[in-house]
Amino acid sequence: MSANSVRNGRSLPALSLGRKMRRLAFYCAITAILFVFLFPIYWTFTTSTKPESQAFSIPPVWLFRPTFDNYLAIFQQQSFGTYVLNSVTVTTTSTVLALLIGTPAAYGLSRFRFRGRSQIAFFILSSRITPPVLLMLPFFLLYQNLGLLGTTTWGLTVAYLTFNISLVVTLMANFFDDVPRELDEAALVDGASRWTTFVRVVLPLSRSGLATAAIFCVVFSWNEFLYAFILTGSETRTLPVLLTTFVRSTGTDWGKLTAAASFVMLPMLVLSFFVQRNLARGLTYGAVK
Amino acid sequence: MQRLTAQRAQPLFFVSPAVLALLLVGVYPTLSALLISFTRSDLLTPANNGFVGLDNYAAVVADPRFWGSLVVQGGYTFGGAGLQMILGLAIALLLHRSFRGKSLVRALILAPMLLAPVSVGLVWRLFFNADAGMVNYFLGLVGIGPIAWLGSSSTALWAVVVADTWQWTPFVVAIALAGLESLPADPYEAAAIDGAGRLQLFRYLTLPLLAPLLVLTATLRAIDSIRTLDLVFVMTFGGPGVSTQTTNFFVYLTGFFYYHMGLASAIAVLLTIIVTIGATVLIRVTRAQTEATT
């Protein structure tokens, strides 16, 4: 076996060359994988700070003097503030509503065994499956008739609920299943009502679940395109639609496009940095049912 | 008939806001779409609009473009989901060991999923540019000639699949890794004592144990892939020709480009039926499998 050296009271076996090589290969593989998944993001950020002349040279320019002209250009665009406001409004409202409506439903599905339970569970799941193209036609016609298209973002907020409610219910029901029933029972035995048990006992323990559900709703609503494109007018558009306006028949303004794309990306990346532990866990909750 | 006591009404109290909301926002538009599909609703020539029964459905089923779109949709959805499952599982297996920086890698790899699909589509559209794109640049470094990815009907769909795979493989990685980490250790120890090799462990232990989770993940990916047309919209708009015209996108074109709302609704209804049947079958199968192995 290899020679042992002692350091701080613990022994460190010297690694054989074979193991060192395999470890190196492993870290090379990891780096390659991270490169593949992170390069396009890095490219978007750096291109947005490149002067127009250097943005598309082949071979690509790796070292350059960054400029924020592209960002200034899009911020100064008249409607930019409107786009941002609409995105923020729709995202927050839809997420909050979905949480308010979906969390009690998840609790109900998790704690009670009642007639019609599996039908209701399937019904809630089905709105997750429904392709938006099915609903966009009636939504469009309805909103057009009600004059909602260009005047308010409520139409979009409500349309997002079809997905967000289902998301919240599925995730939170799984989460509540992991909260021990004994806690509920202890509270009930002490005379608390179901609602009080839910609000005072179970909910405080579910903060990370709620954060996860919220993050998923936020990411979905912030990034959604189809409904945002169809169900809005020029005053009610959201950021993803802005991105497509840079692609014109006269050519694409890649500098402004990457700047706008970076701007749209940034909040999501920052937000998820704070909840990354919840993200991965939440994905499994969304899947396991 | 059971009396609706306060006790029994409790679950309904919790569940009804969600049910009501979804009835309003989900069922009502769905029924409305169904109704529209039975009418001729052409926004450009409203003169002939009215109830036409199943005419739209007959027209759709007789249209070769519909069946073509199903083929494209199948290629996009199953090609994409399949590729994501294979790559995702492979990466998860690679990551399934303790190493320095593991939690950082796990966090970083999720980044693509946080981006707007239109953003992803636009960036990859430039990457696949025949002259100035990164893909051809990197391929050129190893001597592979420039390929007109988005300009050729034989490669365009695969370019879109690559963009989709780039964005969603991390989804599979995260779930597969969590699944691997929740596998029981005992069977592995027993098998190792019996002299089983790495490949055998994978084939006879890991795969069967993970199968229900993997099937469910693949189902979720397939469902989500059918729901989105962002990538097709910004990368190819259904072209060149109809090589990237998924059924999903076909609905959009018919309804909002050609304004045949009745026809579009009919196609959408058919698509929804197919997806719902497929999803229900897969979920039932997964549930049965999970119950069988636990």
Side-chain angles (χ1 to χ4, degrees):
Chain A
M1 256 308 268
S2 13
N4 279 357
S5 57
V6 179
R7 216 212 235 163
N8 297 337
R10 280 187 284 166
S11 65
L12 293 168
L15 288 175
S16 65
L17 186 64
R19 275 188 68 183
K20 276 189 184 146
M21 292 295 289
R22 266 184 290 149
R23 239 215 327 213
L24 184 67
F26 171 75
Y27 279 107
C28 279
I30 299 279
T31 313
I33 290 171
L34 278 182
F35 177 79
V36 167
F37 287 112
L38 295 180
F39 177 72
I41 299 177
Y42 166 79
W43 180 90
T44 306
F45 279 124
T46 51
T47 306
S48 70
T49 57
K50 275 185 185 167
E52 195 69 36
S53 55
Q54 292 185 314
F56 302 99
S57 37
I58 290 285
V61 177
W62 301 110
L63 297 165
F64 57 94
R65 184 161 295 143
T67 162
F68 288 101
D69 287 348
N70 289 319
Y71 286 96
L72 286 178
I74 57 169
F75 291 158
Q76 282 166 356
Q77 250 183 264
Q78 284 169 308
S79 43
F80 188 74
T82 315
Y83 279 109
V84 177
L85 188 65
N86 291 333
S87 272
V88 171
T89 313
V90 172
T91 300
T92 356
T93 321
S94 200
T95 302
V96 169
L97 279 179
L99 286 174
L100 285 176
I101 296 174
T103 315
Y107 181 76
L109 288 175
S110 167
R111 289 302 189 243
F112 299 105
R113 293 285 173 276
F114 55 95
R115 269 225 316 248
R117 179 176 171 273
S118 52
Q119 282 78 4
I120 289 186
F122 182 76
F123 171 64
I124 293 181
L125 188 70
S126 66
S127 61
R128 171 99 167 60
I129 300 176
T130 316
V133 287
L134 178 73
L135 303 180
M136 76 175 173
L137 290 152
F139 271 135
F140 176 74
L141 292 172
L142 180 70
Y143 290 171
Q144 201 183 40
N145 290 337
L146 293 179
L148 290 178
L149 284 181
T151 52
T152 167
T153 52
W154 271 108
L156 202 54
T157 307
V158 164
Y160 285 169
L161 286 179
T162 52
F163 188 80
N164 284 336
I165 292 180
S166 182
L167 194 64
V168 171
V169 173
T170 314
L171 220 137
M172 292 310 295
N174 274 311
F175 190 84
F176 288 144
D177 283 345
D178 282 353
V179 176
R181 282 229 172 87
E182 291 78 43
L183 293 170
D184 292 49
E185 263 132 49
L188 288 170
V189 159
D190 282 351
S193 71
R194 263 296 176 183
W195 182 254
T196 317
T197 313
F198 171 58
V199 174
R200 291 264 176 88
V201 176
V202 179
L203 266 190
L205 293 173
S206 315
R207 267 192 258 269
S208 73
L210 289 171
T212 311
I215 261 277
F216 280 126
C217 289
V218 163
V219 171
F220 167 74
S221 309
W222 184 260
N223 290 334
E224 201 278 339
F225 172 70
L226 184 64
Y227 283 160
F229 184 62
I230 304 270
L231 301 178
T232 58
S234 53
E235 285 302 304
T236 51
R237 290 245 154 92
T238 57
L239 286 170
V241 184
L242 172 68
L243 293 179
T244 57
T245 61
F246 293 114
V247 183
R248 280 177 273 261
S249 46
T250 49
T252 309
D253 196 337
W254 293 102
K256 286 196 199 154
L257 175 63
T258 45
S262 304
F263 183 85
V264 173
M265 261 197 250
L266 205 56
M268 296 299 110
L269 293 175
V270 168
L271 211 62
S272 69
F273 177 74
F274 290 111
V275 295
Q276 16 145 308
R277 244 172 299 123
N278 293 327
L279 259 184
R281 215 172 135 217
L283 288 173
T284 39
Y285 274 132
V288 180
K289 180 60 176 179
Chain B
M1 183 69 180
Q2 292 172 317
R3 274 179 300 135
L4 199 66
T5 59
Q7 181 77 359
R8 277 203 196 93
Q10 275 179 342
L12 298 177
F13 170 67
F14 279 91
V15 171
S16 43
V19 172
L20 284 173
L22 286 176
L23 278 176
L24 201 66
V25 198
V27 174
Y28 172 65
T30 305
L31 291 176
S32 186
L34 204 60
L35 216 74
I36 298 174
S37 74
F38 292 136
T39 69
R40 184 190 158 85
S41 284
D42 287 0
L43 295 189
L44 294 179
T45 55
N48 290 329
N49 286 351
F51 187 76
V52 291
L54 292 175
D55 283 4
N56 286 329
Y57 287 95
V60 169
V61 170
D63 189 346
R65 288 177 307 170
F66 171 66
W67 298 104
S69 78
L70 281 179
V71 172
V72 174
Q73 181 79 64
Y76 173 64
T77 296
F78 295 112
L83 199 57
Q84 289 150 35
M85 291 307 297
I86 294 173
L87 284 177
L89 185 58
I91 297 175
L93 286 168
L94 185 70
L95 296 181
H96 183 47
R97 70 195 68 193
S98 67
F99 61 93
R100 285 242 313 257
K102 182 175 183 180
S103 43
L104 182 67
V105 171
R106 283 179 99 147
L108 287 177
I109 209 170
L110 296 178
M113 292 180 359
L114 300 168
L115 310 184
V118 278
S119 211
V120 173
L122 288 167
V123 169
W124 277 97
R125 177 172 159 160
L126 185 58
F127 275 20
F128 277 119
N129 185 294
D131 309 306
M134 282 285 146
V135 174
N136 278 345
Y137 169 70
F138 282 116
L139 286 181
L141 292 179
V142 290
I144 303 180
I147 305 175
W149 295 99
L150 297 176
S152 153
S153 50
S154 50
T155 53
L157 188 60
W158 303 117
V160 180
V161 169
V162 165
D164 190 53
T165 302
W166 177 83
Q167 182 165 27
W168 294 107
T169 300
F171 175 75
V172 180
V173 172
I175 296 186
L177 192 54
L180 285 170
E181 286 170 353
S182 68
L183 288 179
D186 298 345
Y188 286 89
E189 285 166 9
I193 290 174
D194 283 348
R198 288 260 287 269
L199 203 60
Q200 288 173 311
L201 283 176
F202 177 69
R203 246 187 91 192
Y204 297 110
L205 266 189
T206 313
L207 263 190
L209 285 175
L210 275 186
L213 185 64
L214 293 178
V215 170
L216 192 60
T217 311
T219 308
L220 279 175
R221 275 308 311 142
I223 293 174
D224 277 342
S225 151
I226 296 181
R227 298 175 82 253
T228 56
L229 47 62
D230 303 29
L231 289 181
V232 171
F233 193 96
V234 295
M235 286 178 85
T236 59
F237 208 73
V242 290
S243 57
T244 57
Q245 206 175 86
T246 59
T247 312
N248 202 7
F249 191 73
F250 188 41
V251 174
Y252 166 76
L253 275 184
T254 313
F256 285 97
F257 205 72
Y258 298 115
Y259 292 107
H260 301 312
M261 297 255 164
L263 272 178
S265 247
I267 306 169
V269 168
L270 289 175
L271 181 65
T272 309
I273 292 175
I274 296 174
V275 176
T276 312
I277 293 179
T280 318
V281 164
L282 279 167
I283 293 180
R284 290 257 170 88
V285 163
T286 316
R287 201 166 284 165
Q289 260 192 325
T290 322
E291 274 153 29
T293 54
T294 47

